[in-house]
Amino acid sequence: MRVVILDEKSDVDRRAGQILAQQIQTVPDSVLGLATGSTPVGAYNELLRIYEAGEVSFRDCTTFNLDEYVGLPPDHVQSYRHFMQEHLFGKADFEPTQCHLPCPNIAQLDESCEEYEARIDEAGGIDLQLLGIGTDGHIAFNEPGSSLASRTRVKALTQQTRTDNARFFESIDEVPKLAVTMGIATILEAEKILLLATGENKASAVRDTVEGPISASVPATALQLHPKATILLDKPAARLLARKDYYEQVEFIQRELEQNDALNHH
Ligand code: PGA
């Protein structure tokens, strides 16, 4: 896992937006895996800034979001469809038919989950998957205890996740109890993964993810198995990492190598 520690959240936002833009500039018909929550909003804003400067277009992109609540209508202000429309899709030249979110069909949940997986396959798989992380170590809504081999399915949300997300609703009672989420195995099939974590409240989940043993109890630890996973952190989120100095040194060397064409060609 490539661990990049930046000074502030605004640095994480900027770097993440640039990585997303670079992906699309290099492969205009990229398949992007997208995330909701408060963390990626700054990255989306940076991406939109680059779009408004005329340096990137989403016309040929296909997107798949990680998850969606079960039981909220798509136009509900807290549905993830609505979130994506507000923060990204509605502000740029995305082709609406190419922007996918799990669509929980309560009457046929298994079928709608299988169909989502099939759509990702038909699109050729995800090139770059963006992730946030829960304070309980979840990625997407793969809560602690999720099988590391899981695929898109319905999960019950933990009390900790419902409490964390209550800030977006009038009260905790309104936070849905179920969600449809890509599984851990679905996420691991993405060619590249970019996890963002900022703020002191993510520090212990980040430490467990990067330095703890791989375990279903901390689903994000599965990213240790991925060959191209990068985690962008601000200093507060990196605070509990034991090998912080080492990651900073490695990152310095990595960037030197990337800037040195000659070395890259050997
Ligand atoms: P947050 O949520 O970005 O709102 O902190 C992240 C997550 O639960 O994956």
Side-chain angles (χ1 to χ4, degrees):
M1 198 181 294
R2 182 170 175 180
V3 181
V4 182
I5 303 168
L6 300 167
D7 286 339
E8 293 184 12
K9 178 174 171 4
S10 58
D11 300 315
V12 171
D13 295 343
R14 206 168 315 116
R15 182 77 70 88
Q18 287 162 1
I19 292 171
L20 287 164
Q22 224 166 44
Q23 168 68 37
I24 303 160
Q25 285 156 349
T26 314
V27 183
D29 61 348
S30 286
V31 180
L32 302 174
L34 298 178
T36 51
S38 48
T39 310
V41 172
Y44 292 153
N45 288 341
E46 171 67 10
L47 188 55
L48 289 168
R49 191 195 62 71
I50 299 169
Y51 165 76
E52 274 151 25
E55 292 168 27
V56 74
S57 164
F58 306 103
R59 242 188 346 253
D60 298 324
C61 290
T62 302
T63 70
F64 289 93
N65 263 77
L66 288 165
D67 43 20
E68 179 60 285
Y69 289 119
V70 173
L72 295 184
D75 58 349
H76 189 286
V77 68
Q78 291 307 336
S79 78
Y80 286 163
R81 165 71 68 185
H82 188 271
F83 176 101
M84 291 307 297
Q85 195 56 30
E86 284 280 289
H87 290 284
L88 189 63
F89 298 154
K91 294 185 165 170
D93 63 346
F94 285 90
E95 166 53 50
T97 58
Q98 295 292 101
C99 298
H100 307 281
L101 278 91
C103 180
N105 175 347
I106 313 246
Q108 294 175 302
L109 274 174
D110 286 350
E111 285 87 339
S112 58
C113 293
E114 276 169 31
E115 194 186 313
Y116 201 61
E117 291 269 337
R119 280 193 181 179
I120 296 173
D121 279 352
E122 280 158 24
I126 290 170
D127 295 310
L128 175 60
Q129 176 67 59
L130 185 65
L131 293 175
I133 185 170
T135 57
D136 64 0
H138 72 212
I139 44 174
F141 274 134
N142 294 287
E143 298 286 31
S146 290
S147 162
L148 302 186
S150 52
R151 316 287 326 182
T152 300
R153 70 214 182 289
V154 179
K155 280 298 284 184
L157 305 186
T158 61
Q159 191 59 20
Q160 188 172 338
T161 295
R162 294 185 68 238
T163 305
D164 285 347
N165 289 3
R167 67 191 193 278
F168 300 116
F169 292 81
E170 297 276 306
S171 76
I172 190 162
D173 299 330
E174 287 184 20
V175 183
K177 295 191 168 71
L178 298 175
V180 172
T181 178
M182 280 189 205
I184 304 279
T186 322
I187 292 169
L188 290 181
E189 279 171 10
E191 168 155 16
K192 283 171 278 178
I193 292 179
L194 180 64
L195 184 144
L196 314 180
T198 57
E200 170 73 35
N201 65 331
K202 299 290 171 72
S204 73
V206 165
R207 176 200 52 210
D208 294 348
T209 298
V210 177
E211 296 178 339
I214 296 174
S215 162
S217 296
V218 184
T221 58
L223 300 179
Q224 293 177 25
L225 295 167
H226 195 282
K228 287 187 188 167
T230 298
I231 173 164
L232 292 187
L233 305 170
D234 66 358
K235 288 212 157 126
R239 192 176 69 83
L240 298 176
L241 290 173
R243 290 186 285 273
K244 211 167 10 177
D245 293 348
Y246 172 69
Y247 305 131
E248 280 169 348
Q249 264 176 42
V250 172
E251 181 55 19
F252 177 75
I253 296 167
Q254 180 95 26
R255 291 192 79 73
E256 290 274 294
L257 286 173
E258 281 169 5
Q259 277 158 22
N260 186 331
D261 259 4
L263 281 171
N264 273 340
H265 291 161
H266 283 267

